[in-house]
Amino acid sequence: MMSAAPRLALVAGEASGDLLAGLLLQGLRTRWPGLQAAGIGGPRMAAQGFESWWPHERLSVFGYVDALKRLPELLRIRRQLGDRLLDERPSVFIGVDAPDFNFGLETRLKAAGVRTVHFVCPSIWAWRGERVHKLKAAADHVLCLFPFEPPLLQRHGIAATFVGHPLADAIPLEVPRAAARQALGLAADATVVALLPGSRRSEIAHIAPRLIAAAARMARQRPQLQFVMPVVPGLRGLVEPLLARAQSEGDYPATLRLLDGQSHAALAACDLTLVASGTATLEAALFKCPMVITYHLSALNWWRMKRMRYQPWVGLPNILSQGFIVPELIQDDATPEALAREGLAWLDDAPRVDQLRQRCVGLHQQLRRDTANQAADALAQVLALA
């Protein structure tokens, strides 16, 4: 235990990074109540006393085309942030995911003697494996969410610790289904489908219309279905025009309700989710929720990503299980008809649902490791304070 709380600098891009960093900061404050933290983050980090110098939305990009358009702005923010951090010299810098932004910043800070930690190992085991060399130059230590990652990094001479996944600590093993339904005003006996189109603006544009159209097709076959769509605060204005257009075209489920955030309540309450690939698929698994994973990018982004893939799976539940325990409909396969068909198949197969839920309990137990305490131990070692 150190005599004075550390001063942390963090950068978290997008809603998923803000969620992970917020949970991490909450736990670290238990160890170091006087902890100070600043940098780039979102509302969940701010709720833990984090001082955000830029909002995390400024780092949100979708694929290569969007990144190229935003490159001058992103480079300017990174340069200005690096200048400030070198002047203020935090105890440690923690880059939360966002490797394309954080690696360059971490490398600069590390070369200047600022200790650096990268939280969330980049998915070098899935695609773009050459990033391991950039990670080695950037980070003094890596906090890994998954158990197979530290041995992989250690083979490349990178110090790493498996700390578990903070969501596995935050989400209860026993799903609070009844309470979630009551909170959302859903009947106990309703059949509920959650639509999760992602947290980026471009994901909303590419994926939300497919989910809405799929829901309309499911509703035509089963009018009693209830649909909820959690939307990241601030992006409701992007979704409402899509719903209005679908309504005018007659391709809209009458029982669809938008939620401001509340994705965890939706996943706890639902019988099925149609979900964009990303952290939300792991959240769905931790809520033991049957799911259909989907994704869609521009043609150029898809061509480049497809060339660099190492594994047949894109969804985290499937990657962790090394098999297709839930269906994936990606790019050209992500049609409303296919999404509706795979979704209804879950609702008609109770034994399959039970088997999936048992697998998800095992994943939950594997990832539940008291992440904040494990991360605090690792940070103390990095700071030579153990």
Side-chain angles (χ1 to χ4, degrees), residues 15 25 125 150 173 177 195 235 245 248 261 284 337:
L25 285 171
W125 32 265
L173 280 170
R177 179 186 176 92
L195 310 177
L235 296 185
R245 185 170 64 195
S248 68
E337 293 76 15

Side-chain angles (χ1 to χ4, degrees), residues 10-12 18 39-43 45-46 50 52-57:
L10 293 91
V11 168
D18 178 46
I40 299 178
M45 298 165 71
F50 181 83
S52 190
W53 298 334
W54 286 271
H56 73 305
E57 292 92 345

Side-chain angles (χ1 to χ4, degrees), residues 239-271:
V239 177
E240 287 174 339
L242 298 176
L243 293 175
R245 185 170 64 195
Q247 207 163 10
S248 68
E249 295 172 353
D251 207 16
Y252 175 83
T255 59
L256 174 58
R257 180 156 58 97
L258 286 186
L259 304 176
D260 291 319
Q262 297 180 282
S263 61
H264 281 192
L267 289 171
C270 74
D271 299 282

Side-chain angles (χ1 to χ4, degrees), residues 3 8 17-18 25 27 47 69 88 116 126 140 159 192 234 237 245 253 259 261 289 291 328 344 361 373 377-378 383:
S3 58
L8 305 183
D18 178 46
L25 285 171
K69 291 178 181 177
E88 298 192 5
T116 59
D140 290 306
V192 180
R245 185 170 64 195
L259 304 176
C289 184
M291 73 190 82
E328 296 181 357
L344 291 172
V361 168
N373 193 49
D377 287 344
L383 294 166

Side-chain angles (χ1 to χ4, degrees), residues 31-297:
R31 172 76 67 95
W32 296 305
L35 177 146
Q36 301 175 47
I40 299 178
R44 292 177 182 269
M45 298 165 71
Q48 301 302 320
F50 181 83
E51 181 185 355
S52 190
W53 298 334
W54 286 271
H56 73 305
E57 292 92 345
R58 297 283 292 275
L59 305 189
S60 179
V61 296
F62 183 78
Y64 296 97
V65 175
D66 192 20
L68 286 173
K69 291 178 181 177
R70 300 273 313 285
L71 186 60
E73 176 193 4
L74 295 171
L75 291 176
R76 183 175 65 255
I77 292 173
R78 187 166 69 179
R79 182 180 64 255
Q80 292 172 354
L81 176 59
D83 291 344
R84 183 166 181 174
L85 293 177
L86 288 177
D87 182 56
E88 298 192 5
R89 310 288 299 186
S91 306
V92 65
F93 174 84
I94 304 175
V96 184
D97 207 1
D100 291 328
F101 184 92
N102 277 325
F103 280 177
L105 179 59
E106 290 166 8
T107 301
R108 181 184 176 192
L109 295 175
K110 183 180 177 183
V114 176
R115 293 179 175 88
T116 59
V117 170
H118 197 78
F119 181 37
V120 183
C121 175
S123 51
I124 54 176
W125 32 265
W127 69 302
R128 292 180 64 190
E130 76 282 353
R131 288 180 295 174
V132 71
H133 305 296
K134 293 183 179 179
L135 177 60
K136 184 174 183 178
D140 290 306
H141 203 94
V142 181
L143 304 180
C144 298
L145 302 181
F146 304 121
F148 58 83
E149 292 173 329
L152 171 63
L153 295 181
Q154 286 158 9
R155 287 199 293 271
H156 292 275
I158 301 172
T161 302
F162 170 50
V163 297
H165 204 296
L167 285 170
D169 297 323
I171 295 172
L173 280 170
E174 188 70 29
V175 179
R177 179 186 176 92
R181 290 198 167 207
Q182 185 176 14
L184 296 177
L186 296 167
D189 60 349
T191 303
V192 180
V193 181
L195 310 177
L196 275 71
S199 60
R200 299 167 176 165
R201 291 176 175 270
S202 295
E203 286 175 332
I204 298 293
H206 279 263
I207 298 168
R210 288 172 166 78
L211 300 189
I212 296 166
R217 284 154 178 76
M218 295 174 73
R220 289 188 196 117
Q221 296 189 49
R222 304 192 188 185
Q224 77 278 11
L225 291 177
Q226 302 284 313
F227 297 90
V228 293
M229 180 183 282
V231 180
V232 173
L235 296 185
R236 190 182 182 106
L238 296 178
V239 177
E240 287 174 339
L242 298 176
L243 293 175
R245 185 170 64 195
Q247 207 163 10
S248 68
E249 295 172 353
D251 207 16
Y252 175 83
T255 59
L256 174 58
R257 180 156 58 97
L258 286 186
L259 304 176
D260 291 319
Q262 297 180 282
S263 61
H264 281 192
L267 289 171
C270 74
D271 299 282
L272 165 73
T273 181
L274 308 182
V275 55
S277 180
T279 301
T281 65
L282 180 62
E283 293 174 283
L286 295 173
F287 279 105
K288 292 76 180 179
C289 184
M291 73 190 82
V292 181
I293 296 173
T294 188
Y295 215 74
H296 194 276
L297 306 93

Side-chain angles (χ1 to χ4, degrees), residues 296-309:
H296 194 276
L297 306 93
S298 69
L300 176 60
N301 284 334
W302 171 243
W303 176 77
R304 296 195 65 173
M305 183 171 287
K306 185 169 63 173
R307 290 175 62 239
M308 292 184 286
R309 284 174 62 186

